[in-house]
Amino acid sequence: SAVISQKPSRDICQRGTSLTIQCQVDSQVTMMFWYRQQPGQSLTLIATANQGSEATYESGFVIDKFPISRPNLTFSTLTVSNMSPEDSSIYLCSVAQGGPPNTEAFFGQGTRLTVV
Amino acid sequence: DAKTTQPPSMDCAEGRAANLPCNHSTISGNEYVYWYRQIHSQGPQYIIHGLKNNETNEMASLIITEDRKSSTLILPHATLRDTAVYYCIAHKHGSSNTGKLIFGQGTTLQVKP
């Protein structure tokens, strides 16, 4: 299994500022995933981050708003830029381990962001 | 990945079996049925997955109908700690897709004493 640490666990930020969320995994993984969970809602995939290449964003998410770095096989960051209250959500990092068909996804505890 | 449909909420008495249904009528032959759960204020946790055979592990059993259009997750002896949102996900593995999960709204299971 993979152990994922996210920092910070929570933050309260002023609108117009940016926050960078860190995700550290205890083993090397090819792909890391970033999700958003708005209040009372399910998880929505933001992007897939591969080491050595640009992140792939899902429909409705753009690099200017959510830039992602993936400098090595155990670490990634997600930045929420120019924040507004609508960005208040839980942001989660995930990795997949085990080859198909026995792949499992592991998640961090999430970063609870409140924008005021 | 195929769309899944789950009831929004269910109750279960502590110590009894919890049976959580999932409809995935458009599932394709190479899509697996995965179940995850999210306990309040935590990230989702893997429970079980299967293709067409019934599966059992230490957490739960997964029953998939013969036509694969629906499945049921069974928690044999629910405890208060099983109170969570349960997500059923149809997922196709692929080089760019494995681990990339599309979550529906899930079922909120409330286990009551």
Side-chain angles (χ1 to χ4, degrees):
Chain A
S1 66
V3 177
I4 301 173
S5 301
Q6 275 187 243
K7 290 181 182 179
S9 58
R10 58 178 62 228
D11 207 342
I12 301 173
C13 299
Q14 296 291 322
R15 66 176 69 200
T17 64
S18 297
L19 176 72
T20 295
I21 301 167
Q22 299 180 6
C23 178
Q24 178 76 51
V25 189
D26 68 344
S27 56
Q28 294 184 341
V29 293
T30 304
M31 289 193 287
M32 297 177 77
F33 306 92
W34 287 98
Y35 291 83
R36 180 177 74 181
Q37 188 169 28
Q38 294 176 300
Q41 300 298 312
S42 181
L43 285 78
T44 301
L45 182 64
I46 297 172
T48 302
N50 288 339
Q51 194 268 335
S53 63
E54 283 204 4
T56 303
Y57 289 83
E58 298 298 309
S59 176
F61 297 95
V62 295
I63 188 171
D64 289 347
K65 176 67 176 176
F66 298 101
I68 289 171
S69 78
R70 184 79 201 276
N72 58 52
L73 291 173
T74 62
F75 188 78
S76 178
T77 67
L78 170 77
T79 298
V80 186
S81 303
N82 188 25
M83 288 183 286
S84 67
E86 292 71 35
D87 294 319
S88 297
S89 296
I90 299 173
Y91 292 86
L92 297 111
C93 170
S94 170
V95 303
Q97 282 207 326
N102 295 314
T103 306
E104 292 181 31
F106 296 89
F107 290 80
Q109 293 288 78
T111 296
R112 185 180 294 272
L113 170 62
T114 302
V115 183
V116 297
Chain B
D1 295 348
K3 179 179 167 64
T4 61
T5 305
Q6 300 175 251
S9 64
M10 293 182 65
D11 289 344
C12 177
E14 188 178 20
R16 306 296 282 263
N19 297 280
L20 291 89
C22 180
N23 181 286
H24 32 79
S25 58
T26 62
I27 196 169
S28 62
N30 56 357
E31 285 185 298
Y32 287 75
V33 179
Y34 275 80
W35 284 82
Y36 285 80
R37 73 180 182 183
Q38 187 175 25
I39 296 170
H40 184 63
S41 297
Q42 296 184 22
Q45 173 193 23
Y46 166 84
I47 301 173
I48 198 167
H49 75 284
L51 183 63
K52 51 185 176 182
N53 296 323
N54 297 338
E55 302 287 346
T56 296
N57 63 20
E58 65 278 3
M59 289 183 69
S61 294
L62 174 60
I63 308 298
I64 303 174
T65 57
E66 193 169 339
D67 63 7
R68 299 206 334 118
K69 293 183 185 297
S70 66
S71 60
T72 301
L73 178 75
I74 301 172
L75 307 179
H77 305 287
T79 72
L80 298 178
R81 288 176 295 180
D82 292 321
T83 292
V85 180
Y86 287 77
Y87 297 101
C88 168
I89 300 169
H91 181 58
K92 179 168 60 181
H93 293 293
S95 59
S96 62
N97 197 51
T98 295
K100 182 175 151 179
L101 301 178
I102 307 302
F103 287 80
Q105 292 306 306
T107 296
T108 299
L109 175 68
Q110 181 74 49
V111 180
K112 299 187 173 181

